[in-house]
Amino acid sequence: MQSNLMPERFSIRFTIVSLFVFVVLFVAFATIATGYYFDVKHARQAANDQFIHIAHRSKEKIEHMERMGTSLVKSLKYDATIVKAINEQPHDVVVSHFTERMNTNDHLFSLFAGHRDGAYIEVSNLDATAGVRQAWQAKENERWVVNYITVHDGGRIQKRDYLDNALNVTRSQVNGTGFEVNTRPWFTSAKLQAVTSSAPYQLSMVELTGFSFTLGLDDNVVVGASMLLSSLDQLLVNNHYPLTSRAIIFNSNGLLLAQHGGKDHERTAPHQVLMDLANDPSKFQSLLEVKIAGQDYFAFIEPLKMTANSNSNEFIGLAVSRSEVLAPYTERSLVAVGVSILVALLMLPVVLVSGRLIVNPMRELAKQNVRVQKRQYQSVKHIKSRIVEINDLSASLVSMSTSICDYQQAQKDLLDSFIKLIAQAIDDKSPYTGGHCERVPKIAITLAQAAQQSRDPVFKSIKFDTEEQWREFKIAAWLHDCGKITTPEHIVDKGTKLEAIYNRIHEIRMRFEVLLRDAEIRCLQGCLDAPHKQQDLHQVLAQEQAQIRDDFAFVAACNVGGEFMSDAHLARLKSIAEQTWMRYLDDRLGLSPMENQTLSKMATASEPSVPRVEHVLADKPEHIRIRENSTSRFEGFGFTMTAPEVEQNLGEVYNLSIGRGTLTEEDRYIIQEHISSTIKMLETLPLPPELSRVPEYAGAHHEKLDGTGYPRGLDESQLSMPARIMALADVFEALTASDRPYKSAKTLSESLKIMRFMVLDKHLDKDLFKLFISEGVYQQYAQEFLDPSQWDEVDKDQILAGL
């Protein structure tokens, strides 16, 4: 269902201000949004570059640690002193050499050596990472831890010495142990020719993650070095993202090798997400956007290879909060938005003042436009403005109003001429009603002017104050019978009862001519058969022919329709109609397709052929024209006229039996339909508002005050004064017209007497009729249009008496 509410409207000033603010903010926001878009793009690229940089640094660091570990272990093999000391087990020499090498390398956690017989020595750096000192509960002055494992009587004893910086033993611990050197993976996998690196693993002594490098000195002794991956934690620190950044190194087994951010070597939500991403190779080495704990993060995954001999895959995973990365750019954008709004607010007063240059002239132009709408073209004036377009628009409006005025006048003149042309065409259509559409407006306008000037309160409803109102009434008067253009001419001009395009009395005359000749033929035949009876036969012939001539004269007189048909006349007409004559020729030859179609519908199989006896006057089936449409073509217009059962009845006896005049009931309905056509034509026209009452004025001139008129049966409560004027004018013109084929023109006195009775019968308006008489409207009309023979004396007092 569509809403009938009008859309909200805004003033020009409001529109200009709104448009200015919108444009300023739009441009500002578009610029800010574009900048923000490229800032975000730049931030993404910077994050990606930073991630790649950290990953490459980590790779380089790990490679460096591998090279360093490999080099260190190889150096142990070629150090004869260490080799000899390990074989001969002078522990102090080994400890001295090991600590010396570890002092020069911060990444080393421990150096160790193992013998196949189970002996083992390992020197560990307590300062390698904070976790080491905590795991061994080392004291502040302790720098090194030396673990010895020796075999005595088939058992293994572990001795742990804590040394200070001078390698003095601060305390010792001795315990039994199940540690078997010769079964450890680093021992069994060690080679004599090449350094073997292990995959990251959990160092049992300190419970920290690391990896080792080992090398066999001979078949019994293996030396090695171990490094803690926790030394990589500091490497992953990224000062650019100090709050929410997460960086981890892990392997495919889920072991967390190094990290920055979160609790030490514990899985957090970012860590788990990064580990999950490592399962999809398509996401390696590219910037990803992921959700972590409901927040947006940038993430990055890149594979690593910790050691050459590692049997697992290692990865570096990096993550940073998206909001933190974009925070500087978001803050800058918000500042820019605030500045834009402030500028727009500061400019508002300037815009408001400038808007007057447009608003004030536009308001004046609106007033001029209202004058154009009201068709006050002459009062439209030019509005000057410093704005060129508004000044030109005002000049154009003045020019347009002048053009519209001229054009509208031309259209009015054309319409008025066209209306008069239609009326003239209707008058010219019939030589018997010519001038009716011209004369009725004369009477109606003259009477309307008299009513307008009258001071009688009864005429106060007549208000033709403007030229447009008078024009509306005049057009209605000119078009009051425009529907007659649809009425068949032979019915409008029906001067005799048998007239239907032509006067069919000539057909009937020929039948009586046949009767005359048939009578003469019978007489002559009788004379041949009985010569002695010639005198009697001729006397009978004279009587028969006299009767035939008298009967035809009677029929011809009935056809004229001037006399009232009495019952005796009707009886004689029917008696004459019973006379017969012999037709020898087929009456279906030379017919039109339409006539043949009509006859074929009415023909019967038993119909006799010619010659055939027929009545001299007949009502035949083909004389009836059936009404095709059961639904009136005037449905929906509120007409109350009832249509006859048939469209037209051309029966000869039926038409000759018309009681008065020449029209049958069907003919009269067809003629009365002209007013229905008038209303239909006028009400379907897209008339402008100033002509909206034309159909009402023009279409009611056959209505009567008592409601017995047609086509709508309106009564006096429904008939306006202009419509009543039109009815009176039509009646007076019809009574005094001298061009009707069915009646003679009446004099002024006869016409006014008839109209008086119509007033008494409430067919015409009493007050208008009295004004018509008292103001001499009938006399003005008579002097211009009536024959002088109709100008008889009119007794006004007698006519107005009793009204």
Side-chain angles (χ1 to χ4, degrees), residues 117-410:
D117 63 6
Y120 177 77
I121 183 172
E122 180 182 16
V123 178
S124 300
N125 182 6
L126 287 174
D127 290 338
T129 181
V132 175
R133 188 175 290 277
Q134 182 180 358
W136 279 335
Q137 299 179 351
K139 298 179 180 179
E140 186 177 351
N141 63 331
E142 296 171 341
R143 176 71 173 80
W144 309 97
V145 173
V146 182
N147 284 296
Y148 306 96
I149 296 178
T150 58
V151 180
H152 293 284
D153 299 329
R156 292 176 174 80
I157 298 175
Q158 178 182 354
K159 180 183 179 184
R160 179 175 299 167
D161 290 338
Y162 292 85
L163 309 180
D164 59 18
N165 284 324
L167 302 182
N168 298 315
V169 177
T170 59
R171 59 192 174 102
S172 297
Q173 296 175 355
V174 178
N175 298 302
T177 181
F179 185 83
E180 297 182 8
V181 174
N182 51 6
T183 63
R184 304 301 289 178
W186 56 266
F187 187 92
T188 59
S189 62
K191 300 177 182 179
L192 297 176
Q193 302 299 328
V195 176
T196 301
S197 57
S198 69
Y201 64 95
Q202 190 85 10
L203 276 67
S204 59
M205 294 183 180
V206 292
E207 297 183 352
L208 294 174
T209 305
F211 59 98
S212 60
F213 302 88
T214 57
L215 180 66
L217 298 182
D218 52 33
D219 293 336
N220 296 316
V221 179
V222 174
V223 295
S226 62
M227 296 183 179
L228 291 177
L229 290 178
S230 58
S231 63
L232 294 175
D233 290 352
Q234 190 60 31
L235 177 66
L236 298 178
V237 173
N238 180 6
N239 293 326
H240 190 59
Y241 307 125
L243 298 178
T244 61
S245 61
R246 297 290 187 271
I248 60 174
I249 296 176
F250 59 95
N251 64 13
S252 55
N253 298 325
L255 181 61
L256 189 61
L257 307 179
Q259 73 165 341
H260 168 66
K263 296 182 179 179
D264 292 344
H265 297 279
E266 290 184 3
R267 290 194 182 191
T268 61
H271 297 168
Q272 187 60 53
V273 171
L274 292 173
M275 290 181 178
D276 293 340
L277 292 175
N279 296 324
D280 186 356
S282 65
K283 296 180 179 179
F284 292 172
Q285 297 180 333
S286 61
L287 189 68
L288 306 172
E289 291 195 27
V290 297
K291 286 280 188 181
I292 299 177
Q295 296 183 359
D296 293 326
Y297 272 73
F298 289 136
F300 186 87
I301 298 293
E302 184 167 347
L304 300 175
K305 194 66 176 175
M306 298 293 291
T307 61
N309 299 317
S310 175
N311 56 4
S312 63
N313 296 320
E314 289 80 32
F315 305 90
I316 180 170
L318 305 166
V320 66
S321 171
R322 186 179 187 275
S323 60
E324 186 174 349
V325 173
L326 301 181
Y329 307 105
T330 303
E331 182 180 357
R332 185 168 63 187
S333 298
L334 292 176
V335 171
V337 169
V339 171
S340 300
I341 294 174
L342 180 61
V343 170
L345 293 175
L346 292 176
M347 289 297 294
L348 275 180
V350 178
V351 176
L352 289 172
V353 172
S354 301
R356 294 179 182 175
L357 296 175
I358 299 176
V359 173
N360 293 342
M362 291 298 290
R363 286 176 176 171
E364 290 299 320
L365 282 176
K367 293 179 181 179
Q368 303 309 309
N369 189 58
V370 171
R371 294 179 180 179
V372 173
Q373 292 176 351
K374 293 180 178 181
R375 302 182 185 179
Q376 300 171 356
Y377 305 114
Q378 305 302 326
S379 62
V380 176
K381 63 180 181 179
H382 177 65
I383 304 300
K384 296 181 180 180
S385 173
R386 293 183 180 181
I387 299 177
V388 175
E389 289 78 8
I390 296 180
N391 190 73
D392 292 345
L393 179 61
S394 177
S396 176
L397 182 63
V398 173
S399 177
M400 180 186 69
S401 64
T402 302
S403 299
I404 292 176
C405 180
D406 296 341
Y407 179 78
Q408 187 172 350
Q409 187 58 48

Side-chain angles (χ1 to χ4, degrees), residues 1 48 92 129 133 140 207 297 314 353 375 388 478 509 519 562 640 667 693-694 718 739:
M1 180 177 178
N48 188 62
D92 54 341
T129 181
R133 188 175 290 277
E140 186 177 351
E207 297 183 352
Y297 272 73
E314 289 80 32
V353 172
R375 302 182 185 179
V388 175
W478 278 97
R509 180 185 294 109
T640 59
D667 295 334
R693 302 193 70 176
V694 166
Q718 298 168 295
D739 49 11

Side-chain angles (χ1 to χ4, degrees), residues 532-791:
H532 61 283
K533 296 183 179 180
Q534 289 187 16
Q535 185 175 356
D536 295 336
L537 290 173
H538 281 290
Q539 185 176 0
V540 171
L541 174 61
Q543 292 175 353
E544 287 182 357
Q545 289 184 332
Q547 184 62 47
I548 291 171
R549 290 187 177 91
D550 185 62
D551 287 346
F552 175 72
F554 174 77
V555 171
C558 291
N559 186 42
V560 172
E563 298 292 336
F564 175 74
M565 289 290 289
S566 64
D567 292 341
H569 288 170
L570 289 174
R572 183 182 177 186
L573 180 66
K574 292 179 180 179
S575 175
I576 295 173
E578 294 298 321
Q579 299 181 38
T580 60
W581 66 289
M582 182 67 70
R583 176 168 61 81
Y584 291 90
L585 300 179
D586 191 345
D587 64 353
R588 301 193 180 190
L589 298 178
L591 301 183
S592 68
M594 183 63 69
E595 290 175 303
N596 278 322
Q597 184 179 0
T598 302
L599 290 175
S600 65
K601 294 179 181 179
M602 300 177 181
T604 60
S606 60
E607 186 172 354
S609 59
V610 293
R612 181 180 178 181
V613 176
E614 292 187 350
H615 295 287
V616 293
L617 299 175
D619 289 341
K620 298 181 180 181
E622 54 264 35
H623 287 151
I624 303 296
R625 190 169 74 186
I626 304 300
R627 189 175 296 278
E628 295 293 339
N629 297 324
S630 57
T631 302
S632 173
R633 59 194 174 95
F634 300 112
E635 184 177 7
F637 285 88
F639 300 149
T640 59
M641 295 190 302
T642 301
E645 183 177 354
V646 299
E647 183 77 21
Q648 192 171 15
N649 188 339
L650 297 178
E652 295 166 345
V653 178
Y654 178 77
N655 277 267
L656 289 170
S657 300
I658 295 172
R660 186 183 297 277
T662 62
L663 300 178
T664 64
E665 178 186 356
E666 293 77 14
D667 295 334
R668 195 173 305 281
Y669 180 80
I670 291 174
I671 289 178
Q672 289 178 343
E673 264 192 335
H674 84 276
I675 190 60
S676 301
S677 296
T678 295
I679 295 173
K680 180 180 179 181
M681 291 165 64
L682 294 179
E683 288 189 354
T684 53
L685 283 176
L687 295 171
E690 66 271 13
L691 300 180
S692 60
R693 302 193 70 176
V694 166
E696 175 197 342
Y697 297 162
H701 65 275
H702 285 300
E703 302 287 355
K704 299 175 182 178
L705 298 183
D706 62 354
T708 60
Y710 63 91
R712 287 172 168 154
L714 304 178
D715 58 24
E716 60 181 328
S717 65
Q718 298 168 295
L719 293 172
S720 63
M721 194 61 71
R724 301 182 190 190
I725 291 175
M726 208 73 69
L728 190 148
D730 187 76
V731 168
F732 182 72
E733 194 285 329
L735 291 172
T736 57
S738 59
D739 49 11
R740 302 295 190 269
Y742 46 83
K743 73 171 191 68
S744 58
K746 298 188 180 301
T747 64
L748 287 176
S749 60
E750 291 173 333
S751 300
L752 295 178
K753 286 179 182 179
I754 294 173
M755 293 175 69
R756 182 178 186 276
F757 286 114
M758 295 180 71
V759 169
L760 294 175
D761 292 338
K762 299 200 71 174
H763 290 177
L764 297 176
D765 185 89
K766 177 182 65 175
D767 298 307
L768 283 175
F769 180 69
K770 292 166 66 176
L771 183 68
F772 185 73
I773 300 296
S774 62
E775 294 296 325
V777 176
Y778 70 94
Q779 293 174 327
Q780 299 177 42
Y781 174 77
Q783 293 173 0
E784 185 174 357
F785 292 103
L786 298 188
D787 187 271
S789 62
Q790 297 177 261
W791 299 0

Side-chain angles (χ1 to χ4, degrees), residues 72-98:
L72 179 61
V73 172
K74 284 183 179 180
S75 70
L76 292 176
K77 180 177 182 179
Y78 298 109
D79 189 332
T81 303
I82 293 178
V83 172
K84 181 180 179 181
I86 292 174
N87 286 323
E88 296 178 358
Q89 297 186 357
H91 292 163
D92 54 341
V93 176
V94 175
V95 170
S96 175
H97 279 267
F98 279 8

Side-chain angles (χ1 to χ4, degrees), residues 439-455:
R439 293 191 292 264
V440 169
K442 294 284 186 179
I443 303 171
I445 293 171
T446 304
L447 181 57
Q449 289 172 339
Q452 173 82 355
Q453 296 169 2
S454 174
R455 296 184 178 180

